[in-house]
Amino acid sequence: MSRLIILQRFFALAVFLFIGCCALSLQGAAPPERGAAEGESLNIIRITLQECLEIAQRASPGLLAERCKVLISKNNRREADAAFLPGIEARLTHSNTYGSYLEVEGSWLLFGGMERVYNQMSGRCGEQVQEAMLDYARRSVRISVLEAAANVLLARRMADNALSAIEALEAQVEQCSRELEAGKVARSSLMELQAELGEERMTHIESLGNLRNCNIRLMEAIGMERKSSSVALREEIYLEDLELEGLLQEYPLPSYEHLCQSVDSDPEIVACRAESLRQEYSLKAAYGALLPKISAGYLYSRGASNSPIMERRWEIKAAIPIFNGRSASLARRNAALNLEISRRELQQKRLALQSRLEEAWNNAITAEAKVEAAKERLRAAEEALRCATLRFNAGSANGMEYIVSRSSARRARLEYDTNLCKLLLNRMLLQCYCK
């Protein structure tokens, strides 16, 4: 035996032992479905996808902030409505001439140049804007949770596939070891299988790390807070009773007509339309500020014991703005510019939404075709692997042919699962936009 062959086998054995030690050290990081012993070091949260969506609707920080904005818009609308009510003011005055006296004045604006009416309408439009933005935030949270959940399921399937490959290779390594002792195969075949087994274990370790990262992103999308820093490193979400194929049945591809009709009812478009209407009312209110104002009031004055002031009177006032330093003119110009901006933003939002939906539709159609092609490739690769396994067990094929067939089947499985996840994500996106 040459020295080069001895060095190659020694290096392969060292790599195999190193990978085995890494797998044992990361055994506690396995997903919760691997067994009870692995879950002892994890705070496992078993939850369904529907529960994830419900928790996100309650606990998402973005949604809570949007709800606060809705309350602010309601208060602004009530403030605009309050301008129609009369006002009462009490004043206590002291002067050298009249001494101390008390005044109570009530006033009511009868006509304010329609400024109050347009401000009231503008406040209602602002409330509609915030309610539409709240619906938009709900949809964004739902999309984030669904995307994170689909990535978790894909990462879990990749980890399961790697574990299945490890179990199959371990059986082949054990069989090859017995045949090597019987002198039926060369030692190089055993080393090749052991090297492939080490590579599969490294793939499994990487897939477990990817699964953990996907779980972290899912917890972020839900808005679930961790109890402490020590628990944060050990918490994991386990989605129960879910598979990629099952989710595809729950999220069918909507029709193209339904997709086109959903543009006008989209929350983002509704918000932009309401904002444009609000700016239009603001422009009318700016013009209304130039009209005369009529108000009615009642004044009651009563002085102290040594003060001669005692007055009661009704009065009606008419005020006409003549010159206000061009502030009204500039306010009208700015209101007109804001209206133009809102209309252009509405046009831009419609174009962007139509392009986004068209792109998602095309991606979904393409993903469906790629899933079918990947399924055929996977079927052929698995059949080739089955034949190579039978030939390897019968001794008519070497270890390298078996390894090549297994690598081809693994790539075909990965491509199929990846395209399946892409198809699911595009369907989820379209369903969320069409609701």
Side-chain angles (χ1 to χ4, degrees), residues 131-145:
E131 289 176 350
M133 292 307 298
L134 178 59
D135 293 337
Y136 176 76
R138 289 194 185 102
R139 187 183 66 188
S140 299
V141 169
R142 181 179 178 84
I143 291 175
S144 299
V145 173

Side-chain angles (χ1 to χ4, degrees), residues 45-57:
I45 305 172
R46 294 187 173 271
I47 194 171
T48 63
L49 179 58
Q50 184 61 33
E51 290 174 345
C52 289
L53 294 173
E54 292 174 358
I55 293 174
Q57 294 296 325

Side-chain angles (χ1 to χ4, degrees), residues 20-257:
C21 293
C22 292
L24 290 175
S25 63
L26 292 178
Q27 187 177 5
E33 64 268 25
R34 299 292 181 261
E38 297 175 354
E40 290 176 356
S41 61
L42 295 174
N43 180 22
I44 299 173
I45 305 172
R46 294 187 173 271
I47 194 171
T48 63
L49 179 58
Q50 184 61 33
E51 290 174 345
C52 289
L53 294 173
E54 292 174 358
I55 293 174
Q57 294 296 325
R58 294 194 308 265
S60 173
L63 274 179
L64 296 177
E66 289 297 331
R67 290 191 180 100
C68 293
K69 293 179 181 179
V70 170
L71 295 178
I72 292 175
S73 66
K74 291 180 180 295
N75 293 332
N76 292 334
R77 189 256 304 166
R78 294 190 183 100
E79 182 180 358
D81 294 340
F84 290 88
L85 300 177
I88 300 176
E89 182 179 0
R91 298 185 294 269
L92 180 61
T93 308
H94 177 78
S95 66
N96 295 331
T97 305
Y98 300 105
S100 299
Y101 59 94
L102 175 66
E103 287 184 337
V104 179
E105 182 179 5
S107 60
W108 193 3
L109 185 62
L110 301 178
F111 178 75
M114 298 298 292
E115 184 179 2
R116 293 179 303 168
V117 176
Y118 291 132
N119 285 335
Q120 184 186 42
M121 294 179 178
S122 177
R124 291 177 180 175
C125 292
E127 185 178 357
Q128 295 175 3
V129 170
Q130 292 304 325
E131 289 176 350
M133 292 307 298
L134 178 59
D135 293 337
Y136 176 76
R138 289 194 185 102
R139 187 183 66 188
S140 299
V141 169
R142 181 179 178 84
I143 291 175
S144 299
V145 173
L146 291 176
E147 288 181 347
N151 290 330
V152 167
L153 296 180
L154 177 61
R156 185 190 300 173
R157 173 169 289 189
M158 294 173 63
D160 291 339
N161 293 337
L163 184 61
S164 300
I166 289 174
E167 294 173 352
L169 280 171
E170 286 176 347
Q172 293 297 332
V173 168
E174 184 179 356
Q175 179 181 354
C176 189
S177 298
R178 291 194 300 266
E179 293 179 353
L180 178 62
E181 294 176 356
K184 296 181 180 180
V185 297
R187 190 173 181 82
S188 59
S189 297
L190 178 60
M191 292 295 101
E192 291 170 354
L193 288 177
Q194 288 178 343
E196 182 67 15
L197 178 59
E199 183 178 353
E200 288 292 346
R201 283 177 173 166
M202 289 293 291
T203 303
H204 184 229
I205 293 170
E206 184 178 357
S207 62
L208 291 181
N210 185 33
L211 177 59
R212 178 65 58 82
N213 292 333
C214 290
N215 276 320
I216 292 173
R217 287 190 287 269
L218 177 59
M219 294 183 70
E220 178 186 359
I222 294 175
M224 182 179 298
E225 297 206 1
R226 298 164 177 83
K227 298 178 181 179
S228 64
S229 59
S230 59
V231 178
L233 299 176
R234 303 167 66 183
E235 278 186 340
E236 264 192 23
I237 289 180
Y238 177 64
L239 293 176
E240 295 181 333
D241 302 330
L242 280 180
E243 290 294 337
L244 288 174
E245 290 82 358
L247 282 178
L248 279 176
Q249 301 298 327
E250 296 181 10
Y251 292 90
L253 184 65
S255 63
Y256 187 77
E257 291 77 13

Side-chain angles (χ1 to χ4, degrees), residues 17 39-40 52 165 198 219 230 267 293 318 325 383 399 421 429:
L17 293 175
E40 290 176 356
C52 289
M219 294 183 70
S230 59
K293 296 176 175 57
E383 180 64 21
C421 184
L429 179 65

Side-chain angles (χ1 to χ4, degrees), residues 325-336:
R326 298 189 63 190
S327 61
S329 174
L330 294 175
R332 292 198 310 273
R333 293 180 184 178
N334 289 336

